[in-house]
Structure formats: C-alpha cells, structure tokens
Amino acid sequence: MKSLMQRALFFLPLFFLFTSAGAQETDERVLLNAMHSISSHDLLEYVIEQCDEKYEGRLTGTPGYQMCAEWLAGEFKEWGLTPGGDDGSWFQWFDIPYTLVYPDCGLTLHMPMKEGSGLQKHYRYISEYMPGSTSGNGSVTGEVIYAGYGITAPELGYDDYAKVDVRGKIILIESEAPVSPADGPDKFNPWYEHSFHQSKLANAARHGAIGMIYNYGPIANPNNAYIEDFIYVHVGDTVVRDIFAGTGLKHETVVGEIKATLKPRSFNTKKVVTVKMATQHFSDGRGSNVIGVLPGSDPELGREAVIIGAHLDHLGRCYDIIPGANDNASAVAVMMGVAKALAESKIPLKRTVIFLSFGAEEQGILGAKAYLENPLIPLDQSVLLNMDGVGVGHSIRAAAGLNYPGLWSFIEEANNKYIHRPLSANMFANLGRPRLDAARFLSAGVPSISFSTYGSVNYYHVPMDDLDIIKPEIMEDLAQLLFVSVVSMANSPVALDEIAARQ
C-alpha cells in the first residue's frame, strides 16, 4: 500500500500545475476539457486514413509507407510539435530491405493414385496458407521432410537435420524452439538464438533444402531473411495434418515427444508438394521513424523524456493488402489523439514528451533499434509508454506494468479517477525473441510499459484486420487515460529513474 505522501507526490500534478513564474495556474477543469477534446470520431478517422489503399499496407521501405509517414509528420506539424528526426526533420532514417508479394502464389499437394495418375489438392489462401513474406520468387516441387524445429545446435547436442538428407527437398518445420520462455531463463536462453525465423531459414538453406513449409499460423510475417531462390510458405493445421496423414504418426504426438526428450524426430513424409511464390525483393530499401516532440519547460526536468510509442508500419501486400487496422493503426491513432490534445491545450509540461512512431516493427523491430542507437534524450533519462493493438475489445492490459509499480501507479490512479475501464497489468520477463518495440527498450534498460486491448473479435496478420473490427470507444478511453497519466508523469517532482525503481 502506498503511503499518502507517495500518492500525493504522484497525483498532485493533475490538480495543481505551474509554468514559469507569473503564469496562470492550470486547474482540473482545464485538464478535463483537454482530455474530453480527444474523441472517438477523430481517432477512427486516423485509423481510416492509415488503412487507405494508397499506403498499400504500410510495409516499411515502400513508397506507400513513407507516404503515410509524411502524412503523420504533417499532422504533427499542424499541431505545433517540434521535429525530432535527423537534421531537424521529422524522420529518423535506417536501411530496411523489403519484399513485395504478388497474387500468383499457391501450395499444392500431389496425391498419386494406383493407376499411375494422380490428384492434386490446391490449398486455400488465408485459411490454409499464407505466402512467405520474404520468400524468393519461383516454384519448387519436392518431397517433404519433416525436420522438427529446423534447429542445428551442436552446443546443445541437438540437430533436426542429423538423420535426414534434405538436399533438393522441401522441409516442414515448427516455429519457436522445443524449449519455451515459460520454462524460465536457465532452460530457454541457450535456445534463444535458434528460435528466430531468420536462423531457421538460413539453416534450411545451408543443409541444401530448396523450400520450406513453415507451421506458423497461417499468418503473414515479413520478419525473416531473404535468400534468393529459396521458396517458402506459411501453413496451419490443415496442411500439416495432410502431410502427416498415412505416415503412422500424429503431429501433436511427435511435437510432444521432441519437447519432452529434446531429441529430434525428423523423417521423410513421402509426400510431394509444389510451393509457388511470386515475389520481388528490394535490397536497398530505406525506412524511417516519425518523431514529434513537446519540449519540457523545466531546465532540469526537461532533460528527461516520457516517450509515447506506436509502430506505424504493417505488412504491405501478402498478396492482398493487409490493412493493419488494429495492428497498429489503432495505436498510432491513440498516440495522435494524445499528441494533439497536449499540443493544443498548452497544458504546461515540465518534462519533454516524445511521440515516437516506429517503422519496421514487423520487420525485426528495426525502427526501435535505430532509435535506441541514436536517442533524442539519453536512454537512462527516458521511459516508454508503448501501444500495440489497442483498437478492439473493452478491456486494457499492460505488459510489464507490474515490472514498474511506480510508473504503473500513474496509470492505475488515472483510470480509477477518470476512465473506469477494466485494466490489468503483468510481470513481463522479456525472454523470447522480441515481438514488441517495448521489448527492445526493456532489453536496453529503458523502463517500458506496453498497452494492448482485448475482448472482441480480432485478427492477426491477415487481411481481415480491417476497419470492421475496430471499436473506437476503447481507443478514446485509452487515449484519455494516457493523456492524464502523461500530464502527471511529466510534471511529477520525483525523478523518472526514481519513479521507475519504486516498488
């Protein structure tokens, strides 16, 4: 239980804020008027704009992504934010290769008949397969070798390829590793590097495979390597079940045995498939983060930063446009709502507030990496409030909220006083491969909380993540919650590092 003095220090700025000497006091009425200027209508319009087909799904590196970034920068400029990118611009640039996927894709299972002829089963786009978002271009046909997790780890005495020859073959492999982050750091960390998609793809190519069927979804995912002429596809249960049919083995049993024994169970399924992908790779892509700033007014506290983060990018075409309405146009819209309300209300902020819209979250979280390598304000003087997928449902959750009880108290108290939404937080160990911009910040030692919402239909990395699933009311409430919390954080007399360290 926090002491009354601690609660007063955290929450006092909501009621009694001052600028420089002689300026007027900002009372709660001004705060509430500014909070209520954030409307679900405006936030929905921001989502609609980002999902416009002219941006072609906002894949970082593409002209469509940068066009959307220019639009966002224009809104920041109109509201009076200061640019925080390279050389006084709104953009922080980085290299990002990318791959475009076109409609002439497919996955076919060849089924021989006794008479010498054969049947073909053509799998359905989206429900049964998704194109490999960084696949090479072309078509391959071959026998399917089940190769477990596709891992070669001599230091762990484990090799899925040790007893099978995959040269000229197509492999079927699992995502992740046979040991989970849930098993704890001592068990999982030795497998960490092997759990990455890029590691699995490169390992398959090194062993001579010509293609890969990846049991992953099926969803689109551009977070992988590109190897010219290596063709791969993402599949789900239907395809895996068909490939295991007639082998005398059950897929779930084999996977369970691998996990239990940490011994490979690779074998030749004797099935033959054709994987066809139509892609074009661009090795010289350039991407950007969009950065807008409200400088802090205090000579000392202004050197600290509260960062509001949300990735702007999504998956582009795979091969249909994937709009990314919830992931992550919703979060950018919420960030924009907070930015506009803070900028136009002129509520004094002693600390600097940075609005950081990341590029390339979907392509290895490279935008976050670029910012961490060149931060606007030193990382040890920053905290991050990140959002990812905040446009569905009726409830708010926060990854790593309980890692930082001092920071979390601002959120919790603002919700209890003003918003009254179901709100929960957890401890976040951050052991697995990074899947959030906040994960990279946490690894860099930056106190970070990442918000999402839940409680209604949601789709992930497929074309159905569109405007039909968006619930503007939850976006409005989260934006208002963050607005109040940020005002309080930015004006707290307690140093950010001390707040973050409090239990």
Side-chain angles (χ1 to χ4, degrees), residues 99-129:
T99 304
L100 300 181
V101 181
Y102 301 110
D104 192 17
C105 298
L107 174 63
T108 303
L109 175 64
H110 301 275
M111 297 177 286
M113 305 296 288
K114 291 182 178 179
E115 296 79 9
S117 61
L119 298 176
Q120 295 182 342
K121 181 173 182 178
H122 301 283
Y123 290 100
R124 291 173 291 185
Y125 171 60
I126 301 177
S127 63
E128 294 177 335
Y129 84 92

PDB file of all heavy atoms in Angstrom, residues 99-129:
ATOM      1  N   THR A  99      10.419  -7.040 -49.329  1.00  0.00           N
ATOM      2  CA  THR A  99       9.978  -7.925 -50.398  1.00  0.00           C
ATOM      3  C   THR A  99       8.493  -7.705 -50.649  1.00  0.00           C
ATOM      4  O   THR A  99       7.710  -7.632 -49.694  1.00  0.00           O
ATOM      5  CB  THR A  99      10.227  -9.402 -50.020  1.00  0.00           C
ATOM      6  OG1 THR A  99      11.615  -9.586 -49.709  1.00  0.00           O
ATOM      7  CG2 THR A  99       9.843 -10.326 -51.162  1.00  0.00           C
ATOM      8  N   LEU A 100       8.120  -7.599 -51.905  1.00  0.00           N
ATOM      9  CA  LEU A 100       6.722  -7.494 -52.296  1.00  0.00           C
ATOM     10  C   LEU A 100       6.228  -8.866 -52.746  1.00  0.00           C
ATOM     11  O   LEU A 100       6.953  -9.609 -53.405  1.00  0.00           O
ATOM     12  CB  LEU A 100       6.544  -6.484 -53.430  1.00  0.00           C
ATOM     13  CG  LEU A 100       6.980  -5.041 -53.136  1.00  0.00           C
ATOM     14  CD1 LEU A 100       6.720  -4.161 -54.351  1.00  0.00           C
ATOM     15  CD2 LEU A 100       6.268  -4.483 -51.911  1.00  0.00           C
ATOM     16  N   VAL A 101       4.984  -9.182 -52.388  1.00  0.00           N
ATOM     17  CA  VAL A 101       4.370 -10.467 -52.739  1.00  0.00           C
ATOM     18  C   VAL A 101       3.200 -10.208 -53.679  1.00  0.00           C
ATOM     19  O   VAL A 101       2.332  -9.375 -53.384  1.00  0.00           O
ATOM     20  CB  VAL A 101       3.887 -11.209 -51.481  1.00  0.00           C
ATOM     21  CG1 VAL A 101       3.272 -12.556 -51.861  1.00  0.00           C
ATOM     22  CG2 VAL A 101       5.038 -11.405 -50.492  1.00  0.00           C
ATOM     23  N   TYR A 102       3.165 -10.948 -54.784  1.00  0.00           N
ATOM     24  CA  TYR A 102       2.141 -10.757 -55.818  1.00  0.00           C
ATOM     25  C   TYR A 102       1.192 -11.963 -55.847  1.00  0.00           C
ATOM     26  O   TYR A 102       1.466 -13.013 -55.256  1.00  0.00           O
ATOM     27  CB  TYR A 102       2.815 -10.544 -57.161  1.00  0.00           C
ATOM     28  CG  TYR A 102       3.742  -9.352 -57.179  1.00  0.00           C
ATOM     29  CD1 TYR A 102       5.129  -9.522 -57.261  1.00  0.00           C
ATOM     30  CD2 TYR A 102       3.245  -8.061 -57.093  1.00  0.00           C
ATOM     31  CE1 TYR A 102       5.992  -8.428 -57.261  1.00  0.00           C
ATOM     32  CE2 TYR A 102       4.089  -6.964 -57.100  1.00  0.00           C
ATOM     33  CZ  TYR A 102       5.459  -7.149 -57.179  1.00  0.00           C
ATOM     34  OH  TYR A 102       6.300  -6.059 -57.178  1.00  0.00           O
ATOM     35  N   PRO A 103       0.056 -11.835 -56.557  1.00  0.00           N
ATOM     36  CA  PRO A 103      -1.007 -12.840 -56.451  1.00  0.00           C
ATOM     37  C   PRO A 103      -0.698 -14.243 -56.980  1.00  0.00           C
ATOM     38  O   PRO A 103      -1.385 -15.183 -56.588  1.00  0.00           O
ATOM     39  CB  PRO A 103      -2.166 -12.216 -57.249  1.00  0.00           C
ATOM     40  CG  PRO A 103      -1.931 -10.755 -57.175  1.00  0.00           C
ATOM     41  CD  PRO A 103      -0.439 -10.600 -57.221  1.00  0.00           C
ATOM     42  N   ASP A 104       0.283 -14.435 -57.825  1.00  0.00           N
ATOM     43  CA  ASP A 104       0.483 -15.749 -58.441  1.00  0.00           C
ATOM     44  C   ASP A 104       1.216 -16.686 -57.490  1.00  0.00           C
ATOM     45  O   ASP A 104       2.328 -17.143 -57.756  1.00  0.00           O
ATOM     46  CB  ASP A 104       1.251 -15.587 -59.754  1.00  0.00           C
ATOM     47  CG  ASP A 104       1.237 -16.863 -60.579  1.00  0.00           C
ATOM     48  OD1 ASP A 104       0.390 -17.738 -60.305  1.00  0.00           O
ATOM     49  OD2 ASP A 104       2.070 -16.971 -61.498  1.00  0.00           O
ATOM     50  N   CYS A 105       0.571 -16.985 -56.369  1.00  0.00           N
ATOM     51  CA  CYS A 105       1.152 -17.846 -55.335  1.00  0.00           C
ATOM     52  C   CYS A 105       0.249 -19.062 -55.124  1.00  0.00           C
ATOM     53  O   CYS A 105      -0.948 -19.022 -55.426  1.00  0.00           O
ATOM     54  CB  CYS A 105       1.275 -17.093 -54.010  1.00  0.00           C
ATOM     55  SG  CYS A 105       2.368 -15.653 -54.039  1.00  0.00           S
ATOM     56  N   GLY A 106       0.817 -20.118 -54.566  1.00  0.00           N
ATOM     57  CA  GLY A 106      -0.011 -21.276 -54.280  1.00  0.00           C
ATOM     58  C   GLY A 106       0.763 -22.387 -53.597  1.00  0.00           C
ATOM     59  O   GLY A 106       1.995 -22.409 -53.585  1.00  0.00           O
ATOM     60  N   LEU A 107       0.013 -23.318 -53.033  1.00  0.00           N
ATOM     61  CA  LEU A 107       0.559 -24.508 -52.404  1.00  0.00           C
ATOM     62  C   LEU A 107      -0.292 -25.694 -52.827  1.00  0.00           C
ATOM     63  O   LEU A 107      -1.515 -25.671 -52.681  1.00  0.00           O
ATOM     64  CB  LEU A 107       0.541 -24.362 -50.881  1.00  0.00           C
ATOM     65  CG  LEU A 107       0.962 -25.597 -50.080  1.00  0.00           C
ATOM     66  CD1 LEU A 107       2.412 -25.976 -50.361  1.00  0.00           C
ATOM     67  CD2 LEU A 107       0.756 -25.349 -48.579  1.00  0.00           C
ATOM     68  N   THR A 108       0.367 -26.735 -53.367  1.00  0.00           N
ATOM     69  CA  THR A 108      -0.341 -27.887 -53.919  1.00  0.00           C
ATOM     70  C   THR A 108       0.254 -29.175 -53.366  1.00  0.00           C
ATOM     71  O   THR A 108       1.480 -29.353 -53.361  1.00  0.00           O
ATOM     72  CB  THR A 108      -0.241 -27.904 -55.455  1.00  0.00           C
ATOM     73  OG1 THR A 108      -0.767 -26.684 -55.975  1.00  0.00           O
ATOM     74  CG2 THR A 108      -1.009 -29.074 -56.045  1.00  0.00           C
ATOM     75  N   LEU A 109      -0.620 -30.066 -52.921  1.00  0.00           N
ATOM     76  CA  LEU A 109      -0.217 -31.405 -52.504  1.00  0.00           C
ATOM     77  C   LEU A 109      -0.525 -32.374 -53.638  1.00  0.00           C
ATOM     78  O   LEU A 109      -1.646 -32.413 -54.145  1.00  0.00           O
ATOM     79  CB  LEU A 109      -0.976 -31.817 -51.247  1.00  0.00           C
ATOM     80  CG  LEU A 109      -0.762 -33.256 -50.747  1.00  0.00           C
ATOM     81  CD1 LEU A 109       0.680 -33.482 -50.313  1.00  0.00           C
ATOM     82  CD2 LEU A 109      -1.730 -33.565 -49.604  1.00  0.00           C
ATOM     83  N   HIS A 110       0.487 -33.164 -54.049  1.00  0.00           N
ATOM     84  CA  HIS A 110       0.326 -34.151 -55.121  1.00  0.00           C
ATOM     85  C   HIS A 110       0.030 -35.512 -54.493  1.00  0.00           C
ATOM     86  O   HIS A 110       0.800 -36.006 -53.665  1.00  0.00           O
ATOM     87  CB  HIS A 110       1.594 -34.226 -55.971  1.00  0.00           C
ATOM     88  CG  HIS A 110       1.964 -32.923 -56.594  1.00  0.00           C
ATOM     89  ND1 HIS A 110       1.445 -32.490 -57.789  1.00  0.00           N
ATOM     90  CD2 HIS A 110       2.801 -31.938 -56.163  1.00  0.00           C
ATOM     91  CE1 HIS A 110       1.959 -31.293 -58.089  1.00  0.00           C
ATOM     92  NE2 HIS A 110       2.778 -30.945 -57.119  1.00  0.00           N
ATOM     93  N   MET A 111      -1.080 -36.120 -54.909  1.00  0.00           N
ATOM     94  CA  MET A 111      -1.507 -37.399 -54.329  1.00  0.00           C
ATOM     95  C   MET A 111      -1.531 -38.460 -55.426  1.00  0.00           C
ATOM     96  O   MET A 111      -2.434 -38.465 -56.276  1.00  0.00           O
ATOM     97  CB  MET A 111      -2.887 -37.239 -53.689  1.00  0.00           C
ATOM     98  CG  MET A 111      -2.895 -36.253 -52.530  1.00  0.00           C
ATOM     99  SD  MET A 111      -4.550 -35.988 -51.831  1.00  0.00           S
ATOM    100  CE  MET A 111      -5.272 -34.970 -53.116  1.00  0.00           C
ATOM    101  N   PRO A 112      -0.547 -39.372 -55.449  1.00  0.00           N
ATOM    102  CA  PRO A 112      -0.510 -40.400 -56.506  1.00  0.00           C
ATOM    103  C   PRO A 112      -1.639 -41.413 -56.344  1.00  0.00           C
ATOM    104  O   PRO A 112      -2.088 -41.704 -55.240  1.00  0.00           O
ATOM    105  CB  PRO A 112       0.861 -41.055 -56.285  1.00  0.00           C
ATOM    106  CG  PRO A 112       1.176 -40.801 -54.846  1.00  0.00           C
ATOM    107  CD  PRO A 112       0.571 -39.472 -54.510  1.00  0.00           C
ATOM    108  N   MET A 113      -2.087 -41.941 -57.481  1.00  0.00           N
ATOM    109  CA  MET A 113      -3.127 -42.983 -57.496  1.00  0.00           C
ATOM    110  C   MET A 113      -2.526 -44.279 -57.999  1.00  0.00           C
ATOM    111  O   MET A 113      -1.484 -44.294 -58.661  1.00  0.00           O
ATOM    112  CB  MET A 113      -4.280 -42.536 -58.401  1.00  0.00           C
ATOM    113  CG  MET A 113      -4.865 -41.171 -58.039  1.00  0.00           C
ATOM    114  SD  MET A 113      -5.645 -41.121 -56.429  1.00  0.00           S
ATOM    115  CE  MET A 113      -7.123 -42.068 -56.770  1.00  0.00           C
ATOM    116  N   LYS A 114      -3.177 -45.393 -57.715  1.00  0.00           N
ATOM    117  CA  LYS A 114      -2.644 -46.701 -58.105  1.00  0.00           C
ATOM    118  C   LYS A 114      -2.505 -46.832 -59.602  1.00  0.00           C
ATOM    119  O   LYS A 114      -1.633 -47.530 -60.100  1.00  0.00           O
ATOM    120  CB  LYS A 114      -3.555 -47.806 -57.557  1.00  0.00           C
ATOM    121  CG  LYS A 114      -3.508 -47.945 -56.048  1.00  0.00           C
ATOM    122  CD  LYS A 114      -4.399 -49.093 -55.574  1.00  0.00           C
ATOM    123  CE  LYS A 114      -4.318 -49.258 -54.066  1.00  0.00           C
ATOM    124  NZ  LYS A 114      -5.196 -50.359 -53.578  1.00  0.00           N
ATOM    125  N   GLU A 115      -3.392 -46.190 -60.353  1.00  0.00           N
ATOM    126  CA  GLU A 115      -3.366 -46.314 -61.802  1.00  0.00           C
ATOM    127  C   GLU A 115      -2.203 -45.544 -62.434  1.00  0.00           C
ATOM    128  O   GLU A 115      -2.028 -45.559 -63.645  1.00  0.00           O
ATOM    129  CB  GLU A 115      -4.676 -45.806 -62.402  1.00  0.00           C
ATOM    130  CG  GLU A 115      -5.915 -46.607 -61.995  1.00  0.00           C
ATOM    131  CD  GLU A 115      -6.415 -46.244 -60.613  1.00  0.00           C
ATOM    132  OE1 GLU A 115      -5.910 -45.260 -60.037  1.00  0.00           O
ATOM    133  OE2 GLU A 115      -7.289 -46.980 -60.101  1.00  0.00           O
ATOM    134  N   GLY A 116      -1.431 -44.865 -61.630  1.00  0.00           N
ATOM    135  CA  GLY A 116      -0.310 -44.095 -62.163  1.00  0.00           C
ATOM    136  C   GLY A 116      -0.625 -42.633 -62.334  1.00  0.00           C
ATOM    137  O   GLY A 116       0.277 -41.815 -62.504  1.00  0.00           O
ATOM    138  N   SER A 117      -1.896 -42.303 -62.342  1.00  0.00           N
ATOM    139  CA  SER A 117      -2.270 -40.900 -62.410  1.00  0.00           C
ATOM    140  C   SER A 117      -2.246 -40.333 -60.985  1.00  0.00           C
ATOM    141  O   SER A 117      -1.917 -41.028 -60.030  1.00  0.00           O
ATOM    142  CB  SER A 117      -3.650 -40.747 -63.036  1.00  0.00           C
ATOM    143  OG  SER A 117      -4.606 -41.427 -62.246  1.00  0.00           O
ATOM    144  N   GLY A 118      -2.624 -39.110 -60.858  1.00  0.00           N
ATOM    145  CA  GLY A 118      -2.601 -38.507 -59.536  1.00  0.00           C
ATOM    146  C   GLY A 118      -3.627 -37.407 -59.396  1.00  0.00           C
ATOM    147  O   GLY A 118      -4.140 -36.882 -60.393  1.00  0.00           O
ATOM    148  N   LEU A 119      -3.926 -37.098 -58.154  1.00  0.00           N
ATOM    149  CA  LEU A 119      -4.788 -35.975 -57.829  1.00  0.00           C
ATOM    150  C   LEU A 119      -3.953 -34.862 -57.209  1.00  0.00           C
ATOM    151  O   LEU A 119      -2.858 -35.107 -56.683  1.00  0.00           O
ATOM    152  CB  LEU A 119      -5.881 -36.405 -56.841  1.00  0.00           C
ATOM    153  CG  LEU A 119      -6.862 -37.484 -57.319  1.00  0.00           C
ATOM    154  CD1 LEU A 119      -7.813 -37.847 -56.184  1.00  0.00           C
ATOM    155  CD2 LEU A 119      -7.645 -37.003 -58.540  1.00  0.00           C
ATOM    156  N   GLN A 120      -4.493 -33.670 -57.279  1.00  0.00           N
ATOM    157  CA  GLN A 120      -3.825 -32.529 -56.672  1.00  0.00           C
ATOM    158  C   GLN A 120      -4.791 -31.828 -55.734  1.00  0.00           C
ATOM    159  O   GLN A 120      -5.958 -31.636 -56.059  1.00  0.00           O
ATOM    160  CB  GLN A 120      -3.340 -31.533 -57.741  1.00  0.00           C
ATOM    161  CG  GLN A 120      -2.268 -32.088 -58.662  1.00  0.00           C
ATOM    162  CD  GLN A 120      -1.793 -31.056 -59.662  1.00  0.00           C
ATOM    163  OE1 GLN A 120      -2.461 -30.053 -59.906  1.00  0.00           O
ATOM    164  NE2 GLN A 120      -0.627 -31.286 -60.239  1.00  0.00           N
ATOM    165  N   LYS A 121      -4.290 -31.456 -54.582  1.00  0.00           N
ATOM    166  CA  LYS A 121      -5.076 -30.645 -53.648  1.00  0.00           C
ATOM    167  C   LYS A 121      -4.456 -29.259 -53.597  1.00  0.00           C
ATOM    168  O   LYS A 121      -3.300 -29.103 -53.175  1.00  0.00           O
ATOM    169  CB  LYS A 121      -5.096 -31.273 -52.258  1.00  0.00           C
ATOM    170  CG  LYS A 121      -5.933 -30.461 -51.267  1.00  0.00           C
ATOM    171  CD  LYS A 121      -6.094 -31.159 -49.927  1.00  0.00           C
ATOM    172  CE  LYS A 121      -6.969 -30.333 -48.984  1.00  0.00           C
ATOM    173  NZ  LYS A 121      -7.174 -31.017 -47.686  1.00  0.00           N
ATOM    174  N   HIS A 122      -5.223 -28.274 -54.011  1.00  0.00           N
ATOM    175  CA  HIS A 122      -4.759 -26.888 -54.002  1.00  0.00           C
ATOM    176  C   HIS A 122      -5.291 -26.214 -52.742  1.00  0.00           C
ATOM    177  O   HIS A 122      -6.508 -26.131 -52.547  1.00  0.00           O
ATOM    178  CB  HIS A 122      -5.241 -26.148 -55.251  1.00  0.00           C
ATOM    179  CG  HIS A 122      -4.779 -26.767 -56.533  1.00  0.00           C
ATOM    180  ND1 HIS A 122      -3.496 -26.611 -57.003  1.00  0.00           N
ATOM    181  CD2 HIS A 122      -5.426 -27.563 -57.426  1.00  0.00           C
ATOM    182  CE1 HIS A 122      -3.376 -27.267 -58.147  1.00  0.00           C
ATOM    183  NE2 HIS A 122      -4.528 -27.862 -58.420  1.00  0.00           N
ATOM    184  N   TYR A 123      -4.387 -25.734 -51.918  1.00  0.00           N
ATOM    185  CA  TYR A 123      -4.805 -25.166 -50.641  1.00  0.00           C
ATOM    186  C   TYR A 123      -5.301 -23.735 -50.800  1.00  0.00           C
ATOM    187  O   TYR A 123      -4.918 -23.015 -51.720  1.00  0.00           O
ATOM    188  CB  TYR A 123      -3.650 -25.241 -49.635  1.00  0.00           C
ATOM    189  CG  TYR A 123      -3.385 -26.664 -49.226  1.00  0.00           C
ATOM    190  CD1 TYR A 123      -2.336 -27.389 -49.808  1.00  0.00           C
ATOM    191  CD2 TYR A 123      -4.199 -27.300 -48.302  1.00  0.00           C
ATOM    192  CE1 TYR A 123      -2.101 -28.701 -49.455  1.00  0.00           C
ATOM    193  CE2 TYR A 123      -3.970 -28.627 -47.943  1.00  0.00           C
ATOM    194  CZ  TYR A 123      -2.930 -29.317 -48.521  1.00  0.00           C
ATOM    195  OH  TYR A 123      -2.716 -30.630 -48.180  1.00  0.00           O
ATOM    196  N   ARG A 124      -6.170 -23.359 -49.856  1.00  0.00           N
ATOM    197  CA  ARG A 124      -6.843 -22.071 -49.925  1.00  0.00           C
ATOM    198  C   ARG A 124      -6.006 -20.972 -49.266  1.00  0.00           C
ATOM    199  O   ARG A 124      -5.480 -21.148 -48.158  1.00  0.00           O
ATOM    200  CB  ARG A 124      -8.214 -22.161 -49.259  1.00  0.00           C
ATOM    201  CG  ARG A 124      -9.215 -23.021 -50.027  1.00  0.00           C
ATOM    202  CD  ARG A 124     -10.485 -23.222 -49.241  1.00  0.00           C
ATOM    203  NE  ARG A 124     -10.252 -24.079 -48.079  1.00  0.00           N
ATOM    204  CZ  ARG A 124     -11.202 -24.507 -47.261  1.00  0.00           C
ATOM    205  NH1 ARG A 124     -12.453 -24.153 -47.456  1.00  0.00           N
ATOM    206  NH2 ARG A 124     -10.904 -25.287 -46.230  1.00  0.00           N
ATOM    207  N   TYR A 125      -5.928 -19.870 -49.982  1.00  0.00           N
ATOM    208  CA  TYR A 125      -5.254 -18.673 -49.483  1.00  0.00           C
ATOM    209  C   TYR A 125      -5.939 -18.187 -48.201  1.00  0.00           C
ATOM    210  O   TYR A 125      -7.154 -18.211 -48.078  1.00  0.00           O
ATOM    211  CB  TYR A 125      -5.299 -17.601 -50.573  1.00  0.00           C
ATOM    212  CG  TYR A 125      -4.829 -16.218 -50.182  1.00  0.00           C
ATOM    213  CD1 TYR A 125      -3.536 -16.001 -49.725  1.00  0.00           C
ATOM    214  CD2 TYR A 125      -5.685 -15.121 -50.299  1.00  0.00           C
ATOM    215  CE1 TYR A 125      -3.101 -14.726 -49.403  1.00  0.00           C
ATOM    216  CE2 TYR A 125      -5.259 -13.839 -49.985  1.00  0.00           C
ATOM    217  CZ  TYR A 125      -3.969 -13.651 -49.532  1.00  0.00           C
ATOM    218  OH  TYR A 125      -3.540 -12.380 -49.208  1.00  0.00           O
ATOM    219  N   ILE A 126      -5.170 -17.772 -47.249  1.00  0.00           N
ATOM    220  CA  ILE A 126      -5.532 -17.231 -45.935  1.00  0.00           C
ATOM    221  C   ILE A 126      -5.915 -18.339 -44.964  1.00  0.00           C
ATOM    222  O   ILE A 126      -5.277 -18.491 -43.918  1.00  0.00           O
ATOM    223  CB  ILE A 126      -6.651 -16.163 -45.982  1.00  0.00           C
ATOM    224  CG1 ILE A 126      -6.225 -14.988 -46.861  1.00  0.00           C
ATOM    225  CG2 ILE A 126      -6.987 -15.682 -44.565  1.00  0.00           C
ATOM    226  CD1 ILE A 126      -7.304 -13.922 -47.027  1.00  0.00           C
ATOM    227  N   SER A 127      -6.932 -19.123 -45.260  1.00  0.00           N
ATOM    228  CA  SER A 127      -7.390 -20.106 -44.276  1.00  0.00           C
ATOM    229  C   SER A 127      -6.449 -21.294 -44.166  1.00  0.00           C
ATOM    230  O   SER A 127      -6.354 -21.922 -43.103  1.00  0.00           O
ATOM    231  CB  SER A 127      -8.799 -20.585 -44.612  1.00  0.00           C
ATOM    232  OG  SER A 127      -8.828 -21.243 -45.864  1.00  0.00           O
ATOM    233  N   GLU A 128      -5.723 -21.627 -45.254  1.00  0.00           N
ATOM    234  CA  GLU A 128      -4.860 -22.809 -45.231  1.00  0.00           C
ATOM    235  C   GLU A 128      -3.389 -22.501 -45.502  1.00  0.00           C
ATOM    236  O   GLU A 128      -2.519 -23.274 -45.099  1.00  0.00           O
ATOM    237  CB  GLU A 128      -5.381 -23.847 -46.229  1.00  0.00           C
ATOM    238  CG  GLU A 128      -6.747 -24.389 -45.819  1.00  0.00           C
ATOM    239  CD  GLU A 128      -7.345 -25.357 -46.810  1.00  0.00           C
ATOM    240  OE1 GLU A 128      -7.000 -25.291 -48.015  1.00  0.00           O
ATOM    241  OE2 GLU A 128      -8.171 -26.196 -46.404  1.00  0.00           O
ATOM    242  N   TYR A 129      -3.118 -21.407 -46.171  1.00  0.00           N
ATOM    243  CA  TYR A 129      -1.728 -20.988 -46.334  1.00  0.00           C
ATOM    244  C   TYR A 129      -1.672 -19.475 -46.501  1.00  0.00           C
ATOM    245  O   TYR A 129      -2.640 -18.832 -46.903  1.00  0.00           O
ATOM    246  CB  TYR A 129      -1.057 -21.664 -47.544  1.00  0.00           C
ATOM    247  CG  TYR A 129      -1.318 -20.961 -48.866  1.00  0.00           C
ATOM    248  CD1 TYR A 129      -0.444 -19.983 -49.346  1.00  0.00           C
ATOM    249  CD2 TYR A 129      -2.445 -21.262 -49.638  1.00  0.00           C
ATOM    250  CE1 TYR A 129      -0.687 -19.324 -50.550  1.00  0.00           C
ATOM    251  CE2 TYR A 129      -2.689 -20.613 -50.839  1.00  0.00           C
ATOM    252  CZ  TYR A 129      -1.802 -19.637 -51.291  1.00  0.00           C
ATOM    253  OH  TYR A 129      -2.051 -18.992 -52.467  1.00  0.00           O
TER     254      TYR A 129
END
